[in-house]
Amino acid sequence: MKKELFFLLAFILLSASCSTKVAKSIDDLPLIVKNQKKYVHHPLSKLLKDIKPEIKLFMTNESADQPVGGRISFFFVDYKHFVELGRAKVKQAVLRVDVLGKIAINDEKLPKEERFLWTREYFEKNKNLIVTRVAVSDF
């Protein structure tokens, strides 16, 4: 009896602690928008944790109408494909996240191929920004 109770308790704890990704593919990104109440007023890291497709590039726009904050746009293709798709005028999914806080913007001194790369360093610098809005659109 104790053994069965132990396994049942272990199963419940493991089930509760295993987080599921909301967006398992790029096609699932609209689910993030549908569930944006889960992310608004929370750190950006909470949102990014629920996205499985690897974020490869990002671009920032600081907002003129907010004293601190702006928008971060996340892309799921590398720079070479980003440029090729742009030249071919092929639309690609982009996750746009409005945030409050000081955004660690793209380093303009880097070459373009490196300037927009989403790295662990940028994640660490931006993970505590507060999400105010989430949108998915074509770029």
Side-chain angles (χ1 to χ4, degrees):
M1 178 71 177
K2 287 184 182 181
K3 194 183 256 188
E4 293 169 353
L5 186 59
F6 171 78
F7 284 117
L8 179 62
L9 183 60
F11 176 77
I12 292 170
L13 288 174
L14 283 173
S15 299
S17 66
C18 294
S19 66
T20 57
K21 306 273 185 207
V22 172
K24 295 177 182 168
S25 72
I26 292 173
D27 294 332
D28 293 336
L29 288 176
L31 294 174
I32 295 286
V33 176
K34 185 177 177 184
N35 295 313
Q36 76 174 302
K37 289 180 184 177
K38 177 179 176 183
Y39 308 109
V40 172
H41 305 297
H42 291 283
L44 179 61
S45 59
K46 181 176 182 175
L47 169 66
L48 296 180
K49 183 177 75 172
D50 280 352
I51 299 172
K52 181 174 176 155
E54 182 183 356
I55 296 170
K56 305 224 177 170
L57 302 174
F58 79 111
M59 295 180 185
T60 59
N61 296 48
E62 293 184 294
S63 177
D65 52 328
Q66 295 182 33
V68 179
R71 174 174 290 160
I72 304 176
S73 299
F74 295 103
F75 299 86
F76 303 92
V77 295
D78 60 31
Y79 185 77
K80 180 182 174 187
H81 288 103
F82 177 79
V83 172
E84 289 171 0
L85 291 170
R87 284 187 188 138
K89 298 186 179 175
V90 174
K91 296 191 181 233
Q92 52 189 304
V94 58
L95 179 66
R96 300 184 191 279
V97 183
D98 292 348
V99 295
L100 290 175
K102 182 72 174 140
I103 300 173
I105 60 172
N106 305 89
D107 187 350
E108 297 293 325
K109 296 174 188 164
L110 291 173
K112 285 184 182 178
E113 299 82 25
E114 298 173 26
R115 182 179 310 162
F116 303 110
L117 292 178
W118 181 249
T119 62
R120 184 79 185 161
E121 176 186 358
Y122 281 118
F123 170 78
E124 290 298 326
K125 288 180 179 179
N126 290 302
K127 70 181 181 182
N128 293 320
L129 297 173
I130 302 301
V131 174
T132 59
R133 184 175 162 266
V134 181
V136 174
S137 61
D138 295 328
F139 185 80

